[in-house]
Amino acid sequence: MDDEWICGRLGEDEPWVMGAVNPPVFENSLFTFATAEELGEAIRNEDERYVYWRGTNPTVDLAQRKLAALERGERAKCFGSGMGAIAATISSLVQAGDHVLVLGAVYGPTTQFLRYLEKFGVTHTHVGDLAGCDSAIRPNTRLLYFESPSYMAYAVVDIAEVTAWARERGLVTVMDNTWSTPLFQKPLTLGVDLVVHSLSKYIGGHSDLVGGVVIGPSRLIRPLALTEYQLYGSAMSPHDAAKVIKGLRTLPVRMAAHQERGLAVAEFLSGHPAVRAVHHPGLPSHPGHATALRQMTGFSSLFSLVLDTESREEVGSFLNKLRHFRIGVSWGGFESLVNAPALSTEESVRATMGIPVGLVRLSVGLEPADTLIKDLGLALEGVGRLA
């Protein structure tokens, strides 16, 4: 199926929509049945049947069907947050005594959750590459978790190589694909078992939604949907599902614009004397660019730069000088955002992840690239060697 058709039309011409230009939002908390036997059968299959809001409903189900089709997966399950999806997915795959390998830098709260699992007897090891995986794997290793491009550093993982390595050793692979969206990268087609996304970012696209999703084969999604999804209570609301559906309608157009603006800003920064490095996989100078071209069809607009400074104060001053980039967490909406881990992350955590003091993350929004470039140029005056 064509991705643009999936985003805009999949499931929206079915009889239950009744010709509404926007699919209906089912606000009811429960569904009733004609007989007790029908209710019993529905409860036994609550991952697919409409029983109670905590399970699913038609609006949420439509969002799930679209997302599964985009990722070329059998099924998807939407959650009330990205961390809800990540926590439930990891929990569904491990038990006391298991070990998890984490390849490369990943979203900070994901690491926090893995540390939380230690009190239940689940351990984990962070490694930088496949050689590190070879050294760190244990007889009780069950899961390999990674992102590509990676968190903050935006290193590119050879997905097919990693999944082949994991498959040979009987490991399940889970990958966070939020950076690329399903339009620019489809990890399931490269051997990944389960894909997770924060729907709060590009897919929602308007900074008015918090949500997450896990996508993969029914054999892994069904037990997760019947157990962790139900018990953790991180259900997506039908109102948020409606926002996901609306966000998907414009996703192809928005991602093309994000790519164009993001690359223009990255190219400007890569030649600036106050910038030591720019970590954007779309730049030919990026170490993973060739791999990215093999497994991706485009690039989003989230990347990082390293200022020519070792001063936290100078990093803060750079952020404060910006006028069009707003200071804040998250990314993927219309507005351009900036954040600096050195101002909010413990030094020990930054050291573990290899994040220097001068690293600044940019989320290039949909404002004119020339406006954003001028804003950055003025803020860079007086940084490092230019001081």
Side-chain angles (χ1 to χ4, degrees):
M1 283 185 285
D2 177 78
D3 283 350
E4 292 196 20
W5 185 84
I6 294 169
C7 287
R9 295 295 296 275
L10 176 67
E12 298 196 20
D13 297 325
E14 295 175 358
W16 69 274
V17 179
M18 297 187 294
V21 67
N22 293 318
V25 179
F26 283 74
E27 296 182 314
N28 49 295
S29 62
L30 61 91
F31 295 80
T32 60
F33 299 84
T35 68
E37 289 76 18
E38 289 181 16
L39 172 60
E41 192 276 334
I43 289 176
R44 287 189 293 274
N45 295 280
E46 198 169 352
D47 61 315
E48 296 180 320
R49 296 290 302 275
Y50 309 133
V51 178
Y52 188 61
W53 184 333
R54 190 180 63 188
T56 191
N57 82 2
T59 312
V60 177
D61 191 45
L62 177 58
Q64 292 173 164
R65 289 165 55 197
K66 286 176 175 285
L67 291 165
L70 278 176
E71 279 283 10
R72 306 301 189 260
E74 289 181 357
R75 291 187 60 185
K77 200 64 185 170
C78 285
F79 288 75
S81 70
M83 273 312 300
I86 291 169
T89 299
I90 293 174
S91 297
S92 73
L93 298 171
V94 298
Q95 59 186 3
D98 283 347
H99 174 251
V100 178
L101 278 175
V102 182
L103 175 61
V106 299
Y107 181 46
T110 301
T111 299
Q112 292 174 19
F113 179 71
L114 287 167
R115 290 173 179 166
Y116 172 80
L117 287 181
E118 290 176 358
K119 71 178 184 178
F120 300 107
V122 177
T123 58
H124 68 280
T125 304
H126 280 267
V127 295
D129 51 27
L130 277 183
C133 288
D134 281 324
S135 301
I137 192 170
R138 305 173 185 175
N140 60 332
T141 302
R142 162 70 173 155
L143 169 65
L144 175 63
Y145 187 98
F146 66 105
E147 300 181 15
S148 184
S150 66
Y151 182 64
M152 290 292 180
Y154 306 105
V156 176
V157 173
D158 188 323
I159 299 172
E161 180 183 25
V162 167
T163 56
W165 180 92
R167 196 178 309 112
E168 289 174 0
R169 291 155 180 81
L171 306 186
V172 179
T173 49
V174 178
M175 180 183 147
D176 188 328
N177 194 35
T178 306
W179 191 93
S180 297
T181 81
L183 294 184
F184 288 163
Q185 186 167 248
K186 300 186 187 301
L188 295 178
T189 67
L190 297 171
V192 170
D193 293 305
L194 290 171
V195 169
V196 293
H197 287 270
S198 168
L199 300 174
S200 317
K201 310 304 191 289
Y202 290 117
I203 290 176
H206 298 88
S207 301
D208 61 356
L209 159 71
V210 173
V213 68
V214 55
I215 307 165
S218 294
R219 63 179 176 82
L220 295 177
I221 297 294
R222 178 172 165 80
L224 183 159
L226 289 172
T227 308
E228 284 78 15
Y229 185 87
Q230 295 274 7
L231 296 178
Y232 284 12
S234 183
M236 170 167 279
S237 77
H239 297 280
D240 284 337
K243 290 179 181 179
V244 171
I245 292 166
K246 289 182 180 179
L248 286 172
R249 287 178 170 183
T250 60
L251 184 64
V253 177
R254 288 187 289 107
M255 291 311 297
H258 278 299
Q259 175 175 232
E260 177 187 5
R261 289 158 173 77
L263 280 170
V265 172
E267 287 166 357
F268 162 75
L269 291 168
S270 66
H272 199 284
V275 176
R276 292 180 183 173
V278 176
H279 303 306
H280 189 310
L283 295 176
S285 58
H286 189 282
H289 183 67
T291 301
L293 291 178
R294 287 201 310 270
Q295 62 192 27
M296 300 165 67
T297 57
F299 303 96
S300 74
S301 60
L302 182 75
F303 64 96
S304 62
L305 63 138
V306 181
L307 297 173
D308 183 30
T309 183
E310 301 296 332
S311 166
R312 293 175 72 257
E313 290 72 22
E314 199 164 16
V315 172
S317 176
F318 168 73
L319 267 61
N320 292 336
K321 289 178 182 177
L322 292 166
R323 291 295 174 262
H324 291 281
F325 281 86
R326 303 184 191 183
I327 301 172
V329 299
S330 199
W331 40 276
F334 168 85
E335 66 285 346
S336 293
L337 296 169
V338 62
N339 191 13
L343 305 181
S344 58
T345 306
E346 294 180 16
E347 185 175 351
S348 61
V349 175
R350 286 195 296 103
T352 300
M353 299 176 64
I355 297 176
V357 170
L359 187 138
V360 172
R361 186 181 74 180
L362 297 181
S363 173
V364 175
L366 297 177
E367 304 95 337
D370 290 346
T371 299
L372 300 176
I373 288 170
K374 182 178 180 181
D375 192 29
L376 289 163
L378 290 173
L380 285 168
E381 291 179 2
V383 172
R385 289 189 295 266
L386 299 183

